[in-house]
């Protein structure tokens, strides 16, 4: 009986009772990634009004899929669902093991993914605390993270997707904003994003930085390498766009003090 109730709730979350789009991209991806744990988690969040319905796919990946959804009050949300069994096990383990905020690491892969999801929620909270524009975290449970939806009818585009339509002045403003973000995170928030690039910046009312799963604190032994990665990515990308960028070595020395 409980299984039947959960299946009915998942049908409601996917809107299948009304649409019956069983050949849709949403339905196909749901079949691939919605194992029992995920279904139970979505049903739990559905009962609490955090997710009323999923209506589209924003992005897909080896580690997670992001869906567009609506909450119980009719507001748009983004729902990130991590795969409970992922080929990224080694990478996730290494990142969590190095993070001083994480205590005991479970050997069970599902529970490790739950830790990973919780950490991204906390990273988003910390970034926003230090005035970095990121999706507001709304709720999380197990391998599901509910966040602010960035966009209007459609998701906001990534920098990489619309770079050809931008002017040199646009790139200069974006470079200044992202370098300022790296500095603010490191100096004020004792934090680093760790995967900052043109693929993780949405252009909306202001640039919005996404994908905070690998972000960590300065006390992490990996933090300096992650800081170097962010600086290198940002400086190299904008240099290719004709922006007068900072010297990488000088900027790194400035940040490390």
């Amino acid at each position: 009986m409980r299984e039947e109730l959960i299946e009915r709730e998942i049908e409601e979350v996917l809107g299948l009772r009304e649409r019956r789009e069983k050949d849709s991209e949403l339905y196909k991806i749901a079949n691939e990634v919605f194992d029992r744990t995920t279904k139970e988690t979505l049903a739990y969040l559905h009962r609490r009004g955090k997710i009323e319905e999923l209506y589209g796919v924003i992005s897909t990946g080896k580690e997670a899929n992001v869906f567009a959804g609506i909450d119980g009050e009719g507001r748009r949300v983004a729902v990130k669902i991590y795969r409970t069994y992922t080929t990224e096990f080694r990478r996730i383990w290494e990142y969590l093991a190095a993070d001083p905020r994480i205590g005991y690491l479970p050997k069970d892969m599902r529970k490790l993914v739950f830790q990973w999801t919780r950490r991204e929620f906390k990273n988003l909270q910390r970034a926003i605390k230090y005035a970095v524009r990121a999706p507001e975290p709304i709720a999380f449970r197990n391998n599901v993270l509910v966040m602010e939806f960035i966009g209007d009818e459609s998701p906001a585009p990534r920098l990489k997707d619309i770079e050809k339509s931008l002017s040199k002045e646009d790139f200069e403003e974006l470079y200044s904003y992202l370098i300022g973000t790296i500095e603010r995170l490191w100096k004020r928030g004792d934090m680093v994003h760790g995967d900052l690039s043109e693929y993780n910046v949405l252009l909306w009312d202001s640039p919005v930085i996404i994908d905070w799963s690998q972000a960590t604190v300065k006390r992490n032994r990996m933090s300096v390498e992650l800081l170097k990665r962010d600086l290198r990515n940002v400086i190299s990308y904008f240099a290719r766009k004709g922006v007068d960028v900072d010297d990488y070595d000088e900027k790194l020395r400035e940040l490390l003090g």
Side-chain angles (χ1 to χ4, degrees):
M1 178 62 73
R2 184 167 181 271
E3 289 293 327
E4 290 177 3
L5 287 172
I6 289 172
E7 288 298 331
R8 284 203 294 271
E9 281 193 278
I10 294 305
E11 281 196 351
E12 290 179 9
V13 170
L14 292 174
L16 295 179
R17 286 186 173 180
E18 292 77 21
R19 296 195 310 242
R20 293 293 172 186
E21 294 177 352
K22 292 200 174 184
D23 59 342
S24 69
E25 183 182 9
L26 175 62
Y27 186 81
K28 287 188 288 186
I29 291 175
N31 270 350
E32 291 174 7
V33 303
F34 290 6
D35 59 10
R36 178 174 176 175
T37 296
T38 302
K39 287 180 179 180
E40 290 177 348
T41 302
L42 288 170
Y44 174 91
L45 291 167
H46 177 67
R47 289 193 296 272
R48 280 151 184 77
K50 302 302 182 182
I51 305 170
E52 181 64 26
E53 183 178 327
L54 301 181
Y55 64 85
V57 180
I58 297 176
S59 66
T60 60
K62 295 179 182 178
E63 191 177 277
N65 295 301
V66 183
F67 299 90
I70 297 172
D71 70 10
E73 297 183 10
R75 296 172 298 197
R76 286 187 172 86
V77 292
V79 181
K80 188 171 189 177
I81 302 178
Y82 279 99
R83 299 173 188 269
T84 53
Y85 294 96
T86 172
T87 57
E88 299 295 303
F89 174 85
R90 186 181 184 88
R91 186 179 79 88
I92 289 175
W93 177 273
E94 289 174 351
Y95 273 90
L96 289 176
D99 194 327
R101 297 172 296 174
I102 306 297
Y104 169 74
L105 284 181
K107 294 181 180 179
D108 179 84
M109 183 63 210
R110 290 185 312 147
K111 292 181 180 178
L112 200 68
V113 170
F114 298 168
Q115 286 264 32
W116 189 250
T117 306
R118 180 179 185 276
R119 193 176 82 141
E120 182 162 14
F121 183 90
K122 297 296 184 182
N123 284 340
L124 285 166
Q125 287 183 320
R126 188 178 184 119
I128 290 170
K129 178 181 178 180
Y130 292 101
V132 172
R133 183 69 172 99
E136 180 184 351
I138 297 169
F140 77 95
R141 182 175 175 85
N142 295 336
N143 60 316
V144 180
L145 172 61
V146 184
M147 300 172 286
E148 172 191 5
F149 180 87
I150 307 299
D152 45 29
E153 297 292 329
S154 302
R158 301 177 303 174
L159 170 55
K160 179 62 179 178
D161 296 331
I162 61 169
E163 59 184 7
K164 291 181 180 178
S165 67
L166 301 178
S167 67
K168 184 178 179 182
E169 290 72 23
D170 291 329
F171 283 117
E172 288 172 344
E173 289 181 11
L174 282 167
Y175 173 72
S176 177
Y177 179 87
L178 293 177
I179 284 293
T181 295
I182 292 172
E183 292 178 346
R184 190 158 57 253
L185 281 172
W186 186 257
K187 292 181 177 180
R188 292 180 54 196
D190 290 333
M191 183 182 185
V192 59
H193 181 278
D195 194 25
L196 191 56
S197 75
E198 63 273 24
Y199 293 93
N200 286 332
V201 178
L202 302 183
L203 297 186
W204 189 230
D205 48 1
S206 64
V208 182
I209 298 172
I210 61 171
D211 196 0
W212 291 79
S213 60
Q214 68 293 308
T216 192
V217 292
K218 193 185 290 187
R219 291 180 291 125
N220 188 325
R221 56 181 170 77
M222 296 174 66
S223 65
V224 173
E225 288 306 313
L226 294 174
L227 175 66
K228 290 177 181 178
R229 179 197 292 175
D230 281 355
L231 272 180
R232 192 178 297 112
N233 285 347
V234 169
I235 289 174
S236 297
Y237 174 78
F238 285 95
R240 294 196 300 272
K241 302 303 178 184
V243 176
D244 183 16
V245 298
D246 294 274
D247 178 80
Y248 167 79
D249 291 323
E250 287 183 9
K251 178 57 70 173
L252 182 62
R253 281 196 296 271
E254 176 190 326
L255 288 173
L256 296 179

